């Protein structure tokens, strides 16, 4: 594909070139002359069909993770999170060393220790990376999902956006089963703190362990608020909020 330049941006088809607009800007690509029926049946396109099946499976696995985290991610995710999660799931699918090409699955690849490493550290909001916001170390109890941040001093340990007066921290303990597409999320208490020099040990304890525990994800979220006349308002519709997979088991 090519990026459109110039003052006038085109949309539609001209001389077998498709012009269209995406989140990445105005793009152009050649229109394919191969119809869907041929792709579905012609032996020459067997590799294409295999890639399509595996991509669809990876996209579905990515959606499962995003759906599991949705109660926490609804105001802490960027517009490309689906594509980025699908990329991670594709990498995990590639770790399936037993299935034939075209049938490799995330459900099998996830058993590889490298798959857990690929999923750990995923930021749902690329414009607000947790590692660039929270400077204080934390501990994760993979048995209970509890996350503890000892002696957090918001003014020293948090990079806050202009206008923010308070932060709110919460944790999530999610379980997903890529074989059955089951999911469950247990959310912790919320700790709301003013951005000042007071030291607070933050303890975030999920309500319980998810019944679905084939793959366990531990999430940490930071939200920013502005207080006006005693009421707190989310800052810029959550554009600065961070949510990260801090551990996987």
């Amino acid at each position: 594909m090519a990026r459109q330049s110039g003052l006038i941006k085109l949309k539609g088809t001209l001389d077998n070139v498709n012009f269209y607009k995406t989140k990445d800007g105005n793009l152009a690509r050649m229109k394919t002359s191969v119809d869907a029926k041929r792709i579905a049946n012609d032996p020459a396109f067997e590799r294409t069909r295999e890639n399509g099946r595996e991509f669809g499976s990876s996209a579905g696995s990515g959606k499962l993770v995003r759906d599991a985290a949705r109660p926490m991610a609804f105001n802490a995710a960027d517009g490309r999170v689906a594509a980025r999660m699908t990329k991670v799931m594709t990498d995990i699918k590639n770790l399936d060393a037993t299935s034939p090409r075209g049938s490799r699955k995330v459900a099998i690849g996830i058993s590889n220790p490298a798959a857990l490493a690929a999923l750990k550290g995923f930021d749902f909001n690329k414009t607000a990376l947790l590692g660039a916001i929270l400077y204080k170390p934390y501990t994760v109890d993979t048995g209970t999902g509890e996350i503890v941040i000892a002696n957090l001093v918001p003014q020293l340990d948090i990079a806050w956006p202009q206008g923010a007066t308070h932060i709110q921290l919460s944790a999530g303990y999610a379980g997903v089963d890529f074989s059955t597409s089951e999911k469950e999320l247990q959310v912790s208490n919320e700790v709301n703190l003013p951005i000042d020099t007071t030291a607070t040990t933050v303890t975030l304890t999920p309500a319980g362990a998810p019944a679905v525990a084939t793959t366990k994800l531990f999430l940490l979220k930071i939200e920013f608020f502005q207080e006006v006349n005693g009421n707190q308002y989310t800052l810029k519709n959550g554009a600065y909020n961070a949510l990260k997979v801090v551990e996987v088991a």
Side-chain angles (χ1 to χ4, degrees), residues 172-215:
Y173 184 176
V176 296
D177 189 324
F178 293 107
S179 296
T180 64
S181 296
E182 294 178 284
K183 64 185 185 303
E184 185 181 341
L185 174 68
Q186 295 285 347
V187 181
S188 77
N189 55 302
E190 298 175 333
V191 176
N192 188 284
L193 301 171
I195 299 176
D196 59 18
T197 57
T198 303
T200 303
T201 293
V202 176
T203 302
L204 306 169
T205 308
V212 180
T214 308
T215 301

Side-chain angles (χ1 to χ4, degrees), residues 38-237:
R38 183 182 175 193
I39 292 175
N41 297 283
D42 191 332
F45 289 92
E46 180 60 27
R47 297 287 86 81
T48 301
R49 292 193 292 273
E50 290 173 351
N51 292 336
R53 287 195 298 270
E54 290 191 345
F55 178 82
S57 175
S58 298
S61 295
K63 185 176 185 300
L64 179 66
V65 174
R66 290 185 289 110
D67 285 347
R70 193 174 304 280
M72 298 184 71
F74 76 97
N75 66 344
D78 63 65
R80 302 286 297 175
V81 66
R84 293 191 297 107
M85 180 61 78
T86 297
K87 172 62 169 61
V88 173
M89 292 296 113
T90 298
D91 292 341
I92 294 174
K93 174 266 299 177
N94 290 342
L95 295 172
D96 175 359
T98 60
S99 303
R101 179 176 172 141
S103 299
R104 291 176 296 177
K105 298 178 178 63
V106 170
I108 298 175
I110 196 68
S111 62
N112 190 313
L116 303 184
L119 189 52
K120 180 179 176 180
F122 183 84
D123 280 284
F124 283 79
N125 190 356
K126 198 173 182 181
T127 63
L129 304 179
L130 185 74
I133 293 172
L134 175 64
Y135 303 140
K136 198 76 170 177
Y138 48 82
T139 61
V140 182
D141 186 328
T142 56
T144 64
E146 183 175 87
I147 296 178
V148 177
I149 309 173
N151 299 314
L152 177 70
V153 180
Q155 241 181 52
L156 300 178
D157 301 324
I158 297 288
W160 70 93
Q162 184 177 6
T165 61
H166 289 73
I167 60 169
Q168 185 165 284
L169 300 102
S170 58
Y173 184 176
V176 296
D177 189 324
F178 293 107
S179 296
T180 64
S181 296
E182 294 178 284
K183 64 185 185 303
E184 185 181 341
L185 174 68
Q186 295 285 347
V187 181
S188 77
N189 55 302
E190 298 175 333
V191 176
N192 188 284
L193 301 171
I195 299 176
D196 59 18
T197 57
T198 303
T200 303
T201 293
V202 176
T203 302
L204 306 169
T205 308
V212 180
T214 308
T215 301
K216 297 178 286 186
L217 291 79
F218 305 91
L219 308 167
L220 179 58
K221 180 178 182 179
I222 295 181
E223 301 177 73
F224 290 98
F225 294 87
Q226 183 179 77
E227 184 173 272
V228 178
N229 296 329
N231 295 312
Q232 291 188 25
Y233 302 89
T234 187
L235 212 59
K236 268 195 104 173
N237 296 319

